[in-house]
Amino acid sequence: FFFFQAEDGIRDIGVTGVQTCALPISYFENIPILEELGFRFVDSRLEFRTLTRKADARWETPLGNFRPFATKDFDELEELTREQFAQNSNFKSRYNNRAYFSEEESHRYYMQWHHWVLSQEDPLFCIWEVDGSVGGFYSIVRQAKTDGGTPDYKVALAAVKPNLRSHAAQNHMQFWLFGHAADDEWFTINSPALTNISGLKNNIRANKQLSYVEAYLFLAVP
C-alpha cells in the first residue's frame, strides 16, 4: 500500500540517511502504521493537471520586462532563491525541514531545479527584470512522453522579491512562458503542498484541475 521513492534531487546533492515514502492519499489511514515503523509525516503534494494551449496564453507586464534567463542573472538568481526558499522560515517544505536537512543542503536542492530547467534544449525560464535587476523568476521543466504524446510541463520554482509581490507577476510570467513554448499544447502540472496557501489559491483562482494527492513521510536512518 505504499512505495519508496528515490528522490533524484536529494541523491544528486549527496544527502544520505533519509528514506522517503510517497503515500497516495487514498491510503491516508495507513500513516499511523508507517509512523509505528519510524516514519514521520513531513509533507504533502497536490497535483493540478490541466490541458493548456499556447494559443490561449495571455499576459501583461506590470513593470520592467519579462525575458529569458541569461548567464549574467545567475548570482542574483541564487541570492533570491536562497532568500525565498532555504532561508525563508515561512516556506514549508520537506526539503526545508531542519530536522532532516541543513540550510545549505536545502539550498543546493532548490538550485538543482534551476540546473534541470536550464539543461533542457529550450529552457522554459522567465526572468522578471525590474530596474536592471532580477525582480523575480519562473521556471518549468518540459517532460516529453516516450510515445510521442502530449508532453507535461512541470512547474519548477517561482519567486518574486517581497517588495514586488503586489503585481501578481508569477501568473504573468507563467503565461509569458506558455506564449513562448515550443509546443502547441501540453499538460501543465502544478504541485503545491497543503502548507503553500498562496500556491493553492493561485491554482484555485485559475480553475486548475486537481488530479492527485499524496503524503510524504521521512525515515531518518542512523
Side-chain angles (χ1 to χ4, degrees):
F1 57 84
F2 68 89
F3 61 92
F4 289 101
Q5 179 171 305
E7 294 286 348
D8 291 339
I10 293 299
R11 185 173 64 249
D12 289 347
I13 65 176
V15 176
T16 58
V18 176
Q19 292 276 3
T20 300
C21 174
L23 186 73
I25 208 65
S26 55
Y27 295 109
F28 191 84
E29 69 276 8
N30 292 311
I31 287 179
I33 299 174
L34 293 169
E35 290 182 327
E36 288 177 4
L37 296 173
F39 283 88
R40 293 295 177 264
F41 182 27
V42 296
D43 208 351
S44 56
R45 185 177 76 89
L46 287 77
E47 182 174 295
F48 293 85
R49 181 181 180 86
T50 308
L51 181 65
T52 309
R53 296 179 176 85
K54 180 177 180 177
D56 296 333
R58 301 287 186 275
W59 67 90
E60 298 176 1
T61 307
L63 70 159
N65 64 289
F66 297 148
R67 59 169 175 80
F69 170 86
T71 304
K72 67 182 179 66
D73 300 320
F74 193 83
D75 289 345
E76 286 187 273
L77 174 67
E78 181 165 20
E79 181 181 1
L80 182 56
T81 301
R82 184 184 290 276
E83 290 174 353
Q84 297 306 309
F85 293 96
Q87 288 183 342
N88 186 357
S89 60
N90 293 320
F91 178 70
K92 309 299 182 183
S93 163
R94 58 192 178 280
Y95 298 129
N96 220 31
N97 189 325
R98 292 293 163 263
Y100 299 95
F101 307 114
S102 69
E103 178 184 310
E104 193 57 36
E105 288 167 339
S106 295
H107 179 60
R108 291 203 305 272
Y109 170 77
Y110 294 116
M111 289 302 297
Q112 184 61 39
W113 276 103
H114 297 330
H115 294 303
W116 285 331
V117 175
L118 294 172
S119 68
Q120 298 199 309
E121 184 175 352
D122 295 303
L124 290 163
F125 205 120
C126 178
I127 293 292
W128 182 25
E129 183 176 319
V130 181
D131 296 329
S133 298
V134 175
F137 64 84
Y138 201 106
S139 61
I140 296 173
V141 177
R142 181 185 185 276
Q143 300 172 324
K145 299 293 180 61
T146 56
D147 61 1
T150 304
D152 289 341
Y153 279 28
K154 163 69 176 172
V155 173
L157 294 182
V160 170
K161 288 182 177 179
N163 64 313
L164 296 172
R165 287 179 183 163
S166 62
H167 298 284
Q170 284 198 21
N171 287 334
H172 292 303
M173 283 191 283
Q174 182 184 54
F175 286 113
W176 183 90
L177 286 172
F178 290 168
H180 291 80
D183 302 289
D184 291 327
E185 67 176 23
W186 57 87
F187 287 102
T188 302
I189 309 297
N190 297 80
S191 300
L194 279 172
T195 52
N196 186 353
I197 301 300
S198 61
L200 290 172
K201 286 182 177 178
N202 280 339
N203 281 283
I204 292 169
R205 289 192 192 108
N207 294 317
K208 298 294 180 66
Q209 301 164 20
L210 180 63
S211 62
Y212 182 74
V213 180
E214 65 185 358
Y216 279 88
L217 296 94
F218 278 170
L219 173 66
V221 181

